[in-house]
Amino acid sequence: MPAQSPPPQEYARLVIICILLFFVYSSPEQNGGPGYTSRDYVAERNGRVRHNLDVLNHTRWQDFSPKGPAKPDHEAARYLNLTGFREDDDYVWERLDTFKKRSKLFSDEALSRLRLGEGNGGDALPGEIYENVTGVVVGKWVRYSGDLARGERHRTLNLSEISPGIDWAYQNERFWTRNVTGLEGRLVLRLDEKDGHEMDFVGNDASNIQPDLTGGLVREIAATMTLQDQSSNGDGYEFRLHGVHWPKQGTILLTTTSEKFAGIFGLPHLTLSKDYFTSSQRILNATLGKAVKKMEKAIWFDPSNPWSSTPDAQGDGMMPSPHCEYVVAVQVYPMAGGSLVSSDPKMLVHQIEQELRFPNGAPLPIVPRLQLTTVILSPDCGFMLESKGPPDFSPKLAEHLVGKKQEVWLHNVHDWLLVFGAVMFGQVMLMKIQSKEASTPSTTARVSLYSIGMMLMVDALIFSALSLLSATAPNIFPSALLASFAGLMSVALEARFASVVYNVQEPERRERLRAELATEAARAPAQPTPTATSASSPQTASANTSIPVITAAGADLAPPRSASTATELPIIVPSDQDIDAEMAENVSASSSVPIPVQNTTPLLPTTNRPTTTPPPQASSSFGSMYVKFVLTLTLVLFVSLSSIAWPVWLRTAYIHLLSMIYLSFWIPQIRRNILRNCRKALLWKFVIGQSILRLLPFAYFYLREDNIMFARSDWKAFAVYVGWVWIQIWILAAQEILGPRWGLPKTWTDEGWDYHPILREDNVEAGGLPIGLMQIPGSPTLERVRTGDDKKNSTMSVDCAICMQVLEVPVVASGTDAGSSGAAGGVVGMLARRQYMVTPCRHVFHSPCLEGWMRFRLQCPICRETLPAL
């Protein structure tokens, strides 16, 4: 009876899925007891936010007046019932007075220039500053400790008491993020107030507010700050800030907000005056009230925190990580006028800003730069930072934070992407010219595959980055798309040329592999083979010897054969084919030698003799090379992306190392010239052009301070890069003039054929002179010309077999030292020898004639003998 298969378990998968879902939904949450869900957490957070908003609505000016060194003893300190603003939280609010004083000092210094019309260089527009400060500024910061007699106060904060009910990832202050410990560093501030809500306190809304002090207009603003010092990794500590901007006065106040610091709700109490407090309180009541209502309605599907300080996250999550909080005061400098001359500066500034935000083609003058000052206080970590510049530092050392408005920055990005696309197109044209020049197997074999591959790898990486940029940045889509298309053309042309080079050099790699295998076989000890007949006969010894195989590449040894084939004749391969086909034929001929088992009669070298199946040749295609290329490119990409989180010094060293490796693209070509004894493989226009075009991006980022990436300029590093490329170009030039192996010990490489030897009459009897020059004087094809009375040097002439023109060859007379002869030694003699070329078969030709011939065939035009590569 046949065995029956068990019935299929149709519902097994469904049962397993149900069990898993049961365990997932019945397991207790980590942030509370049984039944505590993320919705409960969001509801509790919304309750705290509603409480903070109520505190903001019911408080008045000076309700928050913490202790400080300037506070009278008889005046009681006052605190707020907000997280981080309570006395028991033990934040360093005693430095709040110093923070306000430093902020007012910077504001007065900028406003004094505003009133006097003194901008950068004394050419500011009187009383005019940017009303919309959306843009990017960069500068240096320094640590301020002038108000501390004993250094910064160290304390231990109890997060369980500061923010009860929050399950923090950790509480030890040593692990807090954004804790700046250095004395100075770099600061990047990106301001954004495009979609901010604004109020104009003029007329009915101006009760208890003086527009002259607050500017009348107040606007909501957000910013992203990046602080970098020696203790930070990657680009530094990046965080989001929210606050209020008074455009007429150019004053901005920003703060972070988290579960342990209700910064945005206590921001009005950190302002400099009552008027600023009132205007900021009113606009925050309106904007925060709308945000709280939106949070309460979206409790089911949007648990994010709109005031989170983490730039790339929805919120701090149910288990937030503690970090240092920040309060930032910013003052906008007056606009630098320069060529801006107008009878109505206010209208001119308004027109500039309107054209930048809503362009309609109106002519614009040079847009002034954006300059800011900033003072930063961390109430929980206790340090204070400020931008480096006047009045504490000279303007020559630093000018606080300087940058561009966002519209100007995007316009610069657009322009420079077009310039970069033109550079890529120039590389395409040079590669096209070089590919056309190396259109024959002889010229293509001279090119180094690795030099082209290094260029291809970098261009492929650039193309990928530009493609991603064009897909994700709609503001610069046209220019990014054009630059990426130029990169695609460069990658396609370089990949095609690399494929041609790889295929042409395939026989060479096979020949090299065959030579290595033959060398290993020769070094391996002989293995005696037991036979049924006399093992010690002379025939057996002769059978184990290798049979010579004569090819166009030289003499080689075939694999050992049996005794029956020991009397075979040598195999002769005529040298009458192209060099590539000849090399491939040599490989197939050496691998197809028959090895019969039993045959006592000698075999004749015929083409139809029985053979055994040869072992398959190990061949590779360009596909394997392509896979290696993609894997290497992927590895470099991943390492480069991971370097973003590395320390600054390590990432800088990695960038320099990667740049030096990339700019070494001529080193593989120099090595190939040495191995092939080739003087020139690439066009000079290609070498010089590619070197200049590939150094241009480095020149932009290393020499221009206000580049689009705000990268630090470093002219010393750029000088090293230029010097390194320049050295490689000089080596290539020296290889063409002095020889590809000049300066190298002769023992390092195999001796190559010298196509420009010194010709002496002493070599006539030894057969050292070329064939055409060994005829008797008086021959119609040879004429000896006397060049001096001493008869030390002479010139012989012979017909060139390629151009059929007379070729004059300098010959050193018998008994003369060639090193001291003007026709042979020194620079003059070297240049004279460059006019002719002598082949190994002792035929002489004009150098341009033979070089042009060898571009197509590596064979002698007269006797068809194989010629070494140039």
Side-chain angles (χ1 to χ4, degrees):
M1 181 176 181
Q4 297 181 354
S5 59
Q9 304 293 330
E10 299 180 356
Y11 301 99
R13 297 179 181 178
L14 181 60
V15 171
I16 294 177
I17 293 176
C18 294
I19 294 175
L20 291 177
L21 292 176
F22 172 77
F23 278 104
V24 168
Y25 284 100
S26 62
S27 60
E29 297 285 342
Q30 297 180 356
N31 293 77
Y36 188 84
T37 62
S38 59
R39 180 179 178 275
D40 298 331
Y41 172 82
V42 174
E44 293 181 2
R45 187 194 62 190
N46 292 346
R48 293 190 296 268
V49 170
R50 174 61 67 178
H51 165 74
N52 296 337
L53 183 60
D54 293 339
V55 173
L56 173 63
N57 292 332
H58 295 86
T59 53
R60 297 174 297 177
W61 171 248
Q62 293 294 335
D63 281 354
F64 181 69
S65 180
K67 296 179 181 179
K71 193 177 186 62
D73 296 336
H74 63 275
E75 185 177 347
R78 294 187 294 273
Y79 294 88
L80 297 176
N81 189 18
L82 293 175
T83 305
F85 290 83
R86 299 184 292 258
E87 182 178 9
D88 296 338
D89 295 340
D90 199 22
Y91 283 10
V92 288
W93 291 118
E94 63 269 16
R95 302 192 70 180
L96 180 61
D97 291 337
T98 304
F99 170 78
K100 292 183 177 181
K101 290 180 181 180
R102 299 297 296 179
S103 302
K104 190 175 186 304
L105 176 64
F106 284 0
S107 297
D108 292 342
E109 197 269 340
L111 293 177
S112 64
R113 296 188 179 188
L114 184 147
R115 289 189 294 267
L116 298 177
E118 298 177 354
N120 305 309
D123 55 358
L125 293 174
E128 295 304 326
I129 58 178
Y130 279 119
E131 293 188 2
N132 189 296
V133 292
T134 301
V136 185
V137 290
V138 182
K140 296 181 180 179
W141 61 264
V142 292
R143 201 179 193 95
Y144 180 78
S145 57
D147 61 323
L148 301 177
R150 299 181 180 179
E152 297 176 357
R153 180 168 63 94
H154 297 281
R155 68 220 176 282
T156 302
L157 300 178
N158 190 346
L159 295 181
S160 300
E161 295 181 359
I162 295 175
S163 52
I166 304 301
D167 189 7
W168 296 95
Y170 45 84
Q171 297 192 10
N172 195 329
E173 296 180 24
R174 294 182 302 173
F175 304 105
W176 285 18
T177 58
R178 308 174 191 168
N179 188 9
V180 179
T181 58
L183 299 178
E184 62 178 346
R186 188 168 183 262
L187 187 151
V188 180
L189 182 62
R190 299 175 178 86
L191 298 168
D192 183 14
E193 56 175 348
K194 287 185 176 180
D195 301 327
H197 181 73
E198 66 178 26
M199 289 184 177
D200 193 356
F201 294 96
V202 178
N204 297 330
D205 293 335
S207 57
N208 301 326
I209 298 179
Q210 300 181 25
D212 294 337
L213 296 179
T214 63
L217 184 65
V218 61
R219 183 183 300 144
E220 187 182 18
I221 190 173
T224 302
M225 178 175 287
T226 303
L227 288 174
Q228 187 180 87
D229 72 335
Q230 298 85 349
S231 63
S232 61
N233 294 332
D235 289 330
Y237 305 114
E238 185 177 19
F239 47 91
R240 290 281 292 174
L241 299 157
H242 299 82
V244 179
H245 177 209
W246 292 268
K248 299 297 183 181
Q249 296 294 93
T251 303
I252 302 174
L253 187 61
L254 302 164
T255 180
T256 58
T257 304
S258 68
E259 295 292 348
K260 65 182 181 66
F261 183 62
I264 191 65
F265 298 94
L267 182 141
H269 296 275
L270 306 178
T271 56
L272 299 179
S273 66
K274 181 179 180 181
D275 299 286
Y276 285 116
F277 168 83
T278 305
S279 58
S280 60
Q281 185 186 42
R282 290 189 179 183
I283 191 173
L284 288 179
N285 282 335
T287 58
L288 298 183
K290 294 180 180 179
V292 171
K293 292 180 180 179
K294 184 178 179 181
M295 292 172 59
E296 292 174 347
K297 292 181 180 179
I299 188 174
W300 287 100
F301 54 87
D302 188 11
S304 62
N305 183 4
W307 307 289
S308 174
S309 59
T310 305
D312 54 352
Q314 294 183 351
D316 295 328
M318 298 180 62
M319 187 178 290
S321 300
H323 47 71
C324 296
E325 307 295 340
Y326 290 90
V327 178
V328 181
V330 179
Q331 178 62 51
V332 183
Y333 264 68
M335 298 174 61
S339 60
L340 300 179
V341 180
S342 176
S343 58
D344 190 356
K346 183 176 182 180
M347 179 59 64
L348 178 60
V349 173
H350 178 71
Q351 292 176 356
I352 291 177
E353 293 196 288
Q354 285 296 113
E355 179 63 25
L356 290 177
R357 294 193 63 185
F358 311 103
N360 55 15
L364 275 182
I366 299 177
V367 181
R369 66 179 183 177
L370 182 63
Q371 184 177 6
L372 311 174
T373 65
T374 182
V375 181
I376 305 170
L377 172 66
S378 178
D380 51 350
C381 294
F383 57 83
M384 186 182 298
L385 313 175
E386 58 186 28
S387 57
K388 188 175 182 179
D392 294 345
F393 297 91
S394 171
K396 296 182 179 180
L397 296 178
E399 295 181 300
H400 294 288
L401 307 179
V402 180
K404 304 175 182 177
K405 287 180 65 64
Q406 184 174 358
E407 297 83 3
V408 178
W409 178 74
L410 289 176
H411 182 74
N412 292 342
V413 172
H414 172 79
D415 293 342
W416 285 110
L417 281 177
L418 293 179
V419 173
F420 187 71
V423 171
M424 297 290 291
F425 186 74
Q427 297 178 10
V428 170
M429 297 304 298
L430 290 175
M431 184 61 65
K432 180 177 179 294
I433 295 174
Q434 179 59 48
S435 302
K436 185 178 180 180
E437 175 68 18
S439 57
T440 62
S442 177
T443 54
T444 306
R446 306 175 189 174
V447 182
S448 173
L449 177 64
Y450 295 100
S451 292
I452 306 300
M454 292 172 67
M455 300 179 187
L456 174 60
M457 183 175 298
V458 174
D459 291 347
L461 187 61
I462 294 175
F463 165 69
S464 302
L466 291 175
S467 300
L468 181 62
L469 182 64
S470 62
T472 57
N475 294 328
I476 54 176
F477 171 75
S479 56
L481 182 62
L482 182 60
S484 62
F485 179 72
L488 176 61
M489 293 175 59
S490 179
V491 170
L493 194 59
E494 289 170 354
R496 177 182 176 275
F497 188 50
S499 175
V500 172
V501 173
Y502 184 86
N503 294 330
V504 168
Q505 296 179 3
E506 179 65 21
E508 179 183 344
R509 287 188 294 272
R510 291 182 179 180
E511 182 71 15
R512 185 167 57 250
L513 178 60
R514 187 187 61 81
E516 293 176 358
L517 295 178
T519 304
E520 293 179 359
R523 293 178 180 178
Q527 298 292 337
T529 303
T531 58
T533 58
S534 58
S536 60
S537 62
Q539 295 180 353
T540 304
S542 62
N544 293 330
T545 60
S546 299
I547 298 177
V549 177
I550 302 175
T551 66
D556 204 350
L557 298 177
R561 309 180 188 179
S562 61
S564 60
T565 61
T567 58
E568 286 193 15
L569 296 178
I571 299 176
I572 301 176
V573 179
S575 176
D576 57 353
Q577 302 296 329
D578 187 78
I579 181 63
D580 300 318
E582 196 170 330
M583 295 172 64
E585 189 176 354
N586 294 341
V587 176
S588 61
S590 60
S591 62
S592 62
V593 177
I595 307 178
V597 180
Q598 291 181 357
N599 191 359
T600 57
T601 61
L603 294 177
L604 295 177
T606 59
T607 58
N608 56 354
R609 60 187 176 183
T611 59
T612 59
T613 303
Q617 291 287 335
S619 62
S620 59
S621 62
F622 186 70
S624 61
M625 191 70 181
Y626 178 78
V627 172
K628 296 178 182 178
F629 165 80
V630 173
L631 292 178
T632 305
L633 183 63
T634 305
L635 177 62
V636 172
L637 180 61
F638 276 113
V639 174
S640 301
L641 292 177
S642 63
S643 66
I644 298 177
W646 295 354
V648 178
W649 65 270
L650 182 59
R651 185 179 55 179
T652 303
Y654 172 75
I655 292 175
H656 289 330
L657 176 62
L658 207 62
S659 301
M660 288 295 292
I661 294 176
Y662 164 54
L663 293 176
S664 303
F665 41 74
W666 300 132
I667 294 297
Q669 186 61 56
I670 294 173
R671 177 179 177 273
R672 183 158 185 84
N673 291 347
I674 295 174
L675 295 178
R676 288 181 56 88
N677 197 26
C678 176
R679 291 180 177 272
K680 182 181 178 181
L682 302 172
L683 293 174
W684 276 114
K685 64 173 66 176
F686 177 78
V687 174
I688 301 297
Q690 286 284 1
S691 301
I692 294 177
L693 291 179
R694 294 184 181 275
L695 281 172
L696 285 180
F698 289 91
Y700 173 74
F701 287 106
Y702 279 85
L703 299 182
R704 190 178 180 88
E705 295 183 358
D706 58 338
N707 55 78
I708 59 177
M709 298 294 294
F710 298 99
R712 295 180 180 178
S713 59
D714 190 354
W715 65 269
K716 295 181 180 178
F718 179 72
V720 172
Y721 296 156
V722 174
W724 175 235
V725 176
W726 187 249
I727 290 174
Q728 299 175 59
I729 295 176
W730 272 106
I731 294 177
L732 290 174
Q735 285 185 328
E736 181 178 356
I737 298 174
L738 303 177
R741 298 177 179 178
W742 71 275
L744 294 179
K746 295 183 178 180
T747 57
W748 286 15
T749 57
D750 298 334
E751 184 177 359
W753 176 256
D754 184 10
Y755 279 97
H756 308 280
I758 299 177
L759 303 179
R760 300 174 55 93
E761 290 184 347
D762 299 343
N763 295 335
V764 174
E765 296 182 358
L769 283 178
I771 295 176
L773 299 180
M774 294 176 59
Q775 302 178 22
I776 60 173
S779 172
T781 61
L782 177 63
E783 180 183 0
R784 175 170 176 166
V785 182
R786 183 174 178 179
T787 59
D789 296 337
D790 53 0
K791 298 183 181 180
K792 291 184 178 180
N793 304 319
S794 62
T795 300
M796 296 185 178
S797 61
V798 67
D799 292 340
C800 176
I802 298 177
C803 66
M804 304 305 293
Q805 300 295 325
V806 177
L807 169 61
E808 293 184 354
V809 179
V811 180
V812 179
S814 302
T816 305
D817 185 9
S820 61
S821 176
V827 178
V828 177
M830 180 188 65
L831 296 178
R833 296 197 304 272
R834 291 294 181 265
Q835 303 301 319
Y836 64 87
M837 295 178 66
V838 181
T839 63
C841 52
R842 296 185 301 149
H843 293 111
V844 62
F845 307 91
H846 286 110
S847 293
C849 296
L850 187 59
E851 288 178 357
W853 174 272
M854 295 179 66
R855 287 186 57 194
F856 299 94
R857 299 182 69 86
L858 293 178
Q859 293 176 341
C860 177
I862 298 177
C863 66
R864 314 289 290 178
E865 181 64 29
T866 301
L867 300 180
L870 288 176

